[in-house]
């Protein structure tokens, strides 16, 4: 997509929301309140960073013609 | 009339004529209430109740003004454009070359009317924030950017499904290439939420928050100008400084209004472009 800059915020927000929510749900289920929620937030932030960087790499290699993945 | 009403508004927001720095009156900071307007007219069609306020009226007037201007500009188009037609063509070329073709290539020409409407509508609604007499950016009422973002959302999602097919559309969105296979389990939900849920939200909030914050800043410094007037050096200096900041912020707002309208339209074009062509 031609808009790396604009997708960063929504990707980070999505990752945080999803995995914090997942952590909260598991916390509720297990009974250890809010510990897993914090873990979830960390995991979510890490994963969304990964998505952002992977996306930027993809756009970068597309612009320079020959990418790491040979496309 | 505009300036007079503005002064009355500032005085009312400042807590009355007697509320000044030395009169033992705290700073009456303007809050969310400056974005709330009483209904001037209430009527209902069946079960739906309509409340017409200043904002609704401005919305209607802006629509009419835009239609009137461009109808006038292109009423008798000539090969060598003059006057209003010149302005109209400049606007058209800016949207076509600067936004539509930039995001979608030649194919973008079909979406120029759509983007054109969005750009000028958003821009002029933003501009209402500094027009004397209006003085409320209509886009700072959250419902309006939400409605705009929803129209864009309901355009690119069905368009993507139509052009790429239902399964491939979501597959292209959720499984971007260049990621190790096992990671998809963790990443695909992020991509889905970021595109389908967060995207329309950020699209509307970006416009709303910018206009809301800008209007609140101008209001705060206008109220400060009035509040600080008092028979003291600090009061006079503060008042003059606040007035200067109000003027500077108003000039800055002119820039932000155009910029936010451009960004809103550009993002609409980028979303449509993403729906037309899958990410490869």
């Amino acid at each position: 997509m031609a808009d790396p800059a604009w997708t960063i915020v929504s990707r980070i927000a999505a990752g945080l929301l999803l995995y914090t929510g997942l952590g909260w749900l598991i916390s509720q289920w297990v009974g250890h309140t809010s510990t897993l929620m914090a873990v979830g937030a960390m995991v979510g932030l890490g994963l969304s960073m990964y998505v952002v960087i992977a996306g930027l790499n993809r756009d970068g290699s597309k612009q320079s013609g020959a990418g790491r993945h040979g496309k | 009339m505009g300036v007079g009403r503005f002064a009355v508004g500032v005085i009312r927001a400042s807590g009355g004529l007697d509320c000044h720095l030395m009169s033992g009156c705290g700073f009456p900071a303007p809050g969310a209430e400056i974005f709330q307007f009483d209904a001037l007219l209430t009527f209902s069609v069946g079960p739906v109740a309509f409340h017409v306020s200043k904002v609704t009226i401005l919305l209607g007037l802006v629509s009419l003004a835009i239609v009137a201007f461009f109808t006038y500009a292109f009423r008798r188009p000539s090969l060598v454009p003059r006057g209003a037609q010149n302005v109209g063509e400049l606007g058209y070329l800016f949207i076509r070359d600067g936004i539509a073709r930039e995001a979608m290539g030649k194919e973008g020409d079909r979406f120029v009317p759509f983007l054109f409407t969005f750009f000028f509508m958003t821009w002029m609604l933003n501009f209402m924030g500094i027009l004397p007499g209006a003085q409320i950016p209509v886009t700072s009422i959250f419902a309006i950017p939400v409605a705009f973002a929803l129209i864009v959302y309901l355009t690119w999602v069905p368009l993507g499904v139509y052009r790429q097919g239902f399964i491939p559309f979501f597959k292209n969105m959720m499984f971007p290439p260049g990621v190790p296979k096992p990671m998809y389990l963790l990443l695909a939900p992020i991509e889905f939420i970021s595109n389908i849920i967060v995207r329309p939200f950020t699209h509307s909030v970006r416009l709303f928050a910018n206009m809301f914050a800008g209007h609140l800043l101008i209001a705060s410094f206008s109220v400060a100008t009035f509040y600080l007037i008092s028979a003291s050096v600090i009061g006079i200096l503060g008042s003059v400084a606040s007035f200067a900041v109000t003027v500077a912020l108003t000039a800055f707002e002119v820039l932000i209004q155009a910029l936010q309208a451009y960004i809103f339209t550009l993002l609409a074009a980028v979303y449509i472009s993403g729906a037309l062509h899958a990410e490869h």
Side-chain angles (χ1 to χ4, degrees), chain A residues 3 10-11 18-19 50-51 58, chain B residues 177 180 186-187 189 191 270 279:
Chain A
D3 60 329
S10 57
R11 276 176 172 154
L18 179 69
Y19 287 96
Y50 182 86
V51 181
R58 203 158 54 233
Chain B
L186 297 167
L187 300 186
E191 290 286 347
V270 165
E279 188 175 2

Side-chain angles (χ1 to χ4, degrees), chain A residues 1-3 6-7 9-15 17-19 44 47-48 50-51 54-55 58-59 62 68-69 71, chain B residues 103 176-180 183 185-187 189-191 193-195 198-199 202 206 263 266-267 270-271 274 279-280:
Chain A
M1 209 167 282
D3 60 329
W6 302 114
T7 57
V9 177
S10 57
R11 276 176 172 154
I12 289 178
L17 274 176
L18 179 69
Y19 287 96
L47 284 173
S48 44
Y50 182 86
V51 181
R58 203 158 54 233
D59 284 332
K62 196 163 56 190
R68 289 188 305 147
H69 309 290
K71 281 193 307 240
Chain B
V179 175
M183 288 298 277
L185 194 63
L186 297 167
L187 300 186
I190 295 186
E191 290 286 347
I193 292 184
S194 106
N195 283 319
V198 181
R199 190 187 265 185
T202 51
R206 191 173 286 118
I263 289 174
L266 183 69
L267 281 174
V270 165
Y271 296 161
E279 188 175 2
H280 286 299

